């Protein structure tokens, strides 16, 4: 992936349209003297009668691939849950902005958005399973990633893409991601748990 890559998705809950989402490699930046990539993901929609919107921004160092800051905002039916974390891998600590307490982080911490991009860099094979211990909140580790097979995913424009199917489990929750089975490793489909059900994001077209 490179700066400027933007992936646009249509969202569904079951068979019902449920809005849209996008994921972007926004820019290169510097945070506390460290060069970082800025990733952003946002979406809006939700089931009928329940307006929902979310956004995530990750400031991630490239070498090694580690989160330095993570902001997440979720709004469901007018209720907002917002958090902004500062992560300092060198001291194995993170702190929520405005808080007074430091928490222990793993050696190479990643937030959930950075983790999605990190998975695209791994040499994945069908039948492979691995336990990752890098989620920045230690209590949610390990993150188990299993490559369960290959599927053909139909994009929004009708194009079929062969993809590796990944099952990701952490702290009792399960997500599924399909990455294109080529060097781009595009996340062509995602199934994510939300408070009102599981949402499925399908890529509209290849960039």
């Amino acid at each position: 992936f490179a700066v400027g890559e933007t992936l646009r998705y249509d969202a569904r809950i079951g068979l019902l349209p449920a809005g849209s989402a996008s994921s972007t490699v926004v820019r290169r930046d510097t945070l506390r003297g460290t060069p970082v990539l800025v990733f952003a993901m946002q979406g809006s929609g939700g089931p009928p009668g329940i307006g929902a919107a979310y956004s995530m921004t990750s400031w991630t160092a490239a070498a090694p691939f580690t989160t330095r800051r993570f902001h997440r905002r979720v709004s469901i039916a007018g209720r907002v849950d917002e958090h902004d974390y500062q992560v300092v891998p060198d001291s194995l600590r993170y702190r929520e902005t405005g808080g007074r307490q430091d928490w222990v982080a793993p050696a190479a911490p990643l937030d959930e958005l950075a983790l999605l991009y990190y998975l695209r860099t791994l040499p994945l094979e069908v039948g492979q399973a691995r336990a990752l211990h890098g989620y920045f909140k230690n209590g949610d580790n390990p993150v188990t990633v299993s490559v369960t097979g290959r599927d053909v995913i139909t994009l929004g424009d009708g194009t079929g893409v062969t993809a590796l199917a990944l099952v990701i489990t952490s702290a009792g929750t399960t997500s599924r991601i399909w990455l294109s089975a080529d060097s781009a490793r595009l996340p062509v489909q995602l199934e994510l748990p939300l408070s009102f059900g599981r949402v499925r994001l399908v890529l509209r077209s290849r960039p």
Side-chain angles (χ1 to χ4, degrees):
F1 45 84
V3 172
E5 179 193 83
T6 299
L7 306 175
R8 303 186 188 280
Y9 298 88
D10 292 316
R12 288 186 173 273
I13 298 176
L15 298 176
L16 298 176
S20 61
S22 65
S23 183
T24 304
V25 185
V26 181
R27 66 182 184 274
R28 295 185 182 274
D29 206 340
T30 301
L31 182 66
R32 299 193 300 274
T34 299
V36 294
L37 284 168
V38 181
F39 304 117
M41 190 171 192
Q42 57 188 5
S44 60
I50 302 179
Y54 66 89
S55 64
M56 295 185 290
T57 306
S58 175
W59 290 257
T60 305
F65 202 78
T66 51
T67 295
R68 299 307 173 102
R69 180 185 172 192
F70 177 58
H71 176 265
R72 178 178 58 226
R73 185 181 191 276
V74 180
S75 173
I76 300 176
R79 299 182 63 178
V80 176
D81 183 38
E82 186 168 8
H83 301 276
D84 188 16
Y85 300 98
Q86 303 287 339
V87 185
V88 185
D90 294 345
S91 62
L92 303 183
R93 292 289 187 272
Y94 74 89
R95 173 183 291 190
E96 187 163 3
T97 300
R100 296 184 177 181
Q101 182 173 356
D102 287 347
W103 300 89
V104 176
L110 293 171
D111 60 79
E112 49 259 45
L113 182 54
L115 178 62
L116 175 61
Y117 285 91
Y118 176 69
L119 290 175
R120 296 174 60 181
T121 72
L122 298 179
L124 301 172
E125 297 180 1
V126 174
Q128 182 185 57
R130 64 176 74 197
L132 306 178
H133 294 268
Y135 185 65
F136 79 102
K137 292 185 175 181
N138 264 318
D140 289 345
N141 287 314
V143 178
T144 302
V145 180
S146 301
V147 186
T148 59
R150 288 175 179 254
D151 297 327
V152 176
I153 302 300
T154 302
L155 306 187
D157 63 0
T159 304
V161 175
T162 301
L164 296 170
L166 279 61
V167 176
I168 301 169
T169 303
S170 172
T173 64
T174 299
S175 303
R176 300 188 70 191
I177 297 173
W178 287 260
L179 298 177
S180 62
D182 56 18
S183 60
R185 287 289 193 263
L186 294 173
V188 295
Q189 181 172 273
L190 303 90
E191 286 187 3
L192 308 172
L194 296 176
S195 61
F196 47 76
R198 295 184 67 84
V199 62
R200 178 165 53 95
L201 304 179
V202 179
L203 188 65
R204 291 179 183 173
S205 63
R206 293 185 69 106

